[in-house]
Amino acid sequence: MELQLGLALPPPPLIPIETFDLNSYGNYETREALGTNALSWPLLKLGPADNDINNIHHHNSSSSSSSSGGGAGCKKRSFDEAPVFDEKRNVPKTLHLLLWTNQPNDEDDDPSNVLHENSSSAIFKNDGEGLVGWPPVKTWRKKVHHQIPNGGAENNRLPAVENGIGGRASKSTYVKVKMEGVPIARKIDLSVHHSFEGLTNTLMRMFGISDGNRKSFKLTYQDREGDWLLAEDVPWRTFIRSLKCLKLIRSRG
Amino acid sequence: MQKKTAYSFPDEILEHVFSFIQSGKDRNAASVVCKSWYEIERWCRRKIFVGNCYAVSPTMVIRRFPDIRSIELKGKPHFADFNLVPDGWGGYVLPWISEMAGAYPWLEEIRLKRMVVTDESLELVAKSFTNLQVLVLFSCEGFSTDGLAAIAASCKNLRELDLRDSEVDDLSGHWLNHFPDTYTSLVSLNISCLGSDDVSFSALERLVGRCPNLRRLLLNREVPLDKIANLLSRAPQLIEFGTGTYAAELRSDVYSNLAEAFCNCKELKCLSGFWDAVPAYLPVIYSVCSRLTSLNLSYAPIQNPDLTKLVSQCPSLQRMLVLDYIEDSGLEVLASSCKDLQELRVFPSDPFGEEPNVSLTEKGLVAVSSGCPKLQSVLYFCRQMSNAALVTIAQNCPNFTRFRLCLLDPKIADYRTLQPLDVGFGAIVEHCKDLRRLSLSGLLTDRVFEYIGMHAKKLEMLSVAFAGESDLALHHVLSGCESLRKLEIMNCPFGDKALLANAAKLETMRSLWMSSCSVSLGACKMLGQKMPRLNIEVMDEKGPPDSRAESDPVDKLYIYRSVAGPRFDMPPFVWTMDEDFASELS
């Protein structure tokens, strides 16, 4: 899992920049296994770290990766030289709750496993569209793109509101979903779902309900008049048009 | 009678002098000169900006400034725009409205950003502030058209109602009808975020017709194309106009009416809307194009050559928002036609697609940087970048104040050399000495942060994602960026060291957001104990943090300075690391 995410915490900074091999930063694999429209991070073959900024002016377009990259002529500062509390610099005096020493924290266990456990769930906790928060496009902008025909070929068609979301009064395709007994509401993007089956699958995954427990939950929704109805009682299009928010309740009996 | 010394002015004169000082920063500076200046200044301050609604309490504001007429409040952190802040986090405006209702009956302007506004709050606003002239709800949520109806009915002096990007619950009800027939003072109306049932078109027409000072009108998507001509003919004095859906079957009568209506708007300078735009109706605005200073086509799926042709007719453009359908070729035309361009935003038409669907690369941005000498502000989404291009851009545009580059693949390297993009972004911060806002993306090591700490002395806001290798990176930023106010970080391997070593820096900033990083619970608790003027909020939807070990990383961390102490309206998934938290667990 940690390799898939490419978030392996690098070793503590003992190594000067010149020899830091970015190849060990992480292997990137596609995340098709998750069935999401995930970004695939190609396996990168990287050379030594790039030159320091003082050399920019001497470069033309292709920055050389070899000669001035490593070695003694480089003006880069290694970690040991980095002047951290340099009185000449006009920075606010730092209150050290921890003295910056450039030494690795001996007491840290390798937190990489823990990190990935948490961050994997953080990253994949999403509304069906890959990384949460990435790319940084506002929600209502994402909706615009769903409705643009592929390649924009049919520009003289009437607006493409017939994607199953047409008629929904609110601009956003996200609706709130609550589960009985869970205080935190979630949001789900309706425009990526086209059937009760798909919607239910996503909800089960979102709330961590296993297949075995599916039967004990029922999907209800609140319509525009404020009434609570059973989702499966109405056709999909009616459901989409009139729903305001969703709630998963435990079925009794 | 006590003689005044030669060094003191009568209060009235000082107050008169202060009335010329509008900027909050300058007023703050004046207020700390001496006690009497503090007193005089606080009585005559009329306008206040609160960048974080939890940094101070309404009671404190009211106690210090007894006669405020204009208030601006911001709530949720910026990353809430990208779904990183769960529902229910906070940012409620009601406590502010409740207290101001009694204290500021003469309040004229309320501007809110990323706050939760309920109908109850709006009703209270309508009831309490009879002199309200400006209501701006920017990216707010939690209210419905019922709340808007209350505002419409009661606020007789309302000049500006702007709901930009807000989420409004539609309830059936024609809230526009609640503006009384006698109401004629509307100057600016932005309802572009509203859904279909929310706007009664005939009420809108009547409203527009009876407000002769209307200068800015941004319609919502559901207003059909064939209704626009009618509206425009009632408001030829408009300076800024946003269409609704800009698509319909081509009909010559609709076309000519529309062309004539646009032609008659002699002062029109800003256009937006254009949802689902079709090329057939674009020429209708050609008569306006030469005057346009601002054009927002970021909802228009128009492609080249129609898009480029349109752009080439707008030589006065200062601000351009567009989708990446413009491609490199269109940006080259923009660069050669629009020499006054100051701001460019290029949005992705297919942000989640794995393959590029358009030919938009770094070349487009290089072209604009080269051709538009006044370019100051850039937001650019694309799929490839090189250090060389960034260096060129930096050299072309040393006047950048805002530079936000988003490479859709979060850790993509320089496509030509396969190096990290450290050098490129380093050039940006080195050359652009006035840079106030920077967003990074692509493959980035600790080095870029060293450059930022070294050069970005005026940087106020920095957004970082999937970058850096170690705490040294964060340390460079916190120790080097003297003007830093807001720092937001997602998915970076930054842990405790830099944070703890720079704890005092956090008090000089408005806020720090870190999500999916490696800051441990223990570090958060330590910060909470040692830094009483910071609120350390840990967010975790999986359960209380005390169920895990101290060394476990927290999911989301939001740190902000505050003189109001920890807040009390936190949802169950937010914990504040104050002294009590630490002690009750040990």
Side-chain angles (χ1 to χ4, degrees), chain B residues 181-337:
Chain B
D181 291 336
T182 48
Y183 170 75
T184 58
S185 15
L186 197 60
V187 173
S188 167
L189 179 65
N190 178 356
I191 50 172
S192 52
C193 61
L194 292 184
S196 65
D197 282 354
D198 299 338
V199 176
S200 149
F201 192 73
S202 54
L204 179 62
E205 270 187 325
R206 278 179 280 121
L207 181 63
V208 168
R210 67 177 184 269
C211 294
N213 297 322
L214 189 67
R215 295 299 204 164
R216 186 171 175 258
L217 177 63
L218 303 183
L219 303 172
N220 61 327
R221 187 174 192 162
E222 277 69 20
V223 175
L225 186 64
D226 53 7
K227 303 268 200 201
I228 292 181
N230 226 331
L231 267 182
L232 282 179
S233 59
R234 288 168 200 241
Q237 74 280 3
L238 281 179
I239 298 179
E240 185 174 348
F241 180 63
T243 75
T245 293
Y246 206 72
E249 280 171 25
L250 188 53
R251 279 171 44 192
S252 55
D253 53 339
V254 172
Y255 185 99
S256 52
N257 286 342
L258 204 47
E260 190 182 337
F262 271 112
C263 192
N264 286 334
C265 293
K266 302 289 185 203
E267 300 186 67
L268 202 52
K269 293 234 179 58
C270 308
L271 282 180
S272 58
F274 296 107
W275 279 283
D276 312 309
V278 295
Y281 278 103
L282 282 185
V284 152
I285 64 170
Y286 283 175
S287 59
V288 184
C289 281
S290 59
R291 273 182 267 121
L292 281 184
T293 57
S294 168
L295 182 56
N296 183 351
L297 293 170
S298 61
Y299 301 109
I302 311 251
Q303 302 197 351
N304 296 332
D306 303 296
L307 182 52
T308 306
K309 179 157 183 229
L310 178 58
V311 163
S312 64
Q313 312 215 11
C314 305
S316 313
L317 268 191
Q318 295 170 16
R319 187 167 184 262
M320 175 87 198
L321 281 66
V322 73
L323 287 171
D324 56 9
Y325 290 130
I326 193 160
E327 297 191 322
D328 291 335
S329 55
L331 287 176
E332 277 155 30
V333 171
L334 182 73
S336 58
S337 314

Side-chain angles (χ1 to χ4, degrees), chain B residues 42-60:
Chain B
R42 77 184 187 89
W43 277 96
C44 67
R45 179 150 353 180
R46 298 282 171 259
K47 188 169 172 164
I48 186 149
F49 168 76
V50 180
N52 174 4
C53 64
Y54 291 119
V56 67
S57 73
T59 315
M60 289 167 146

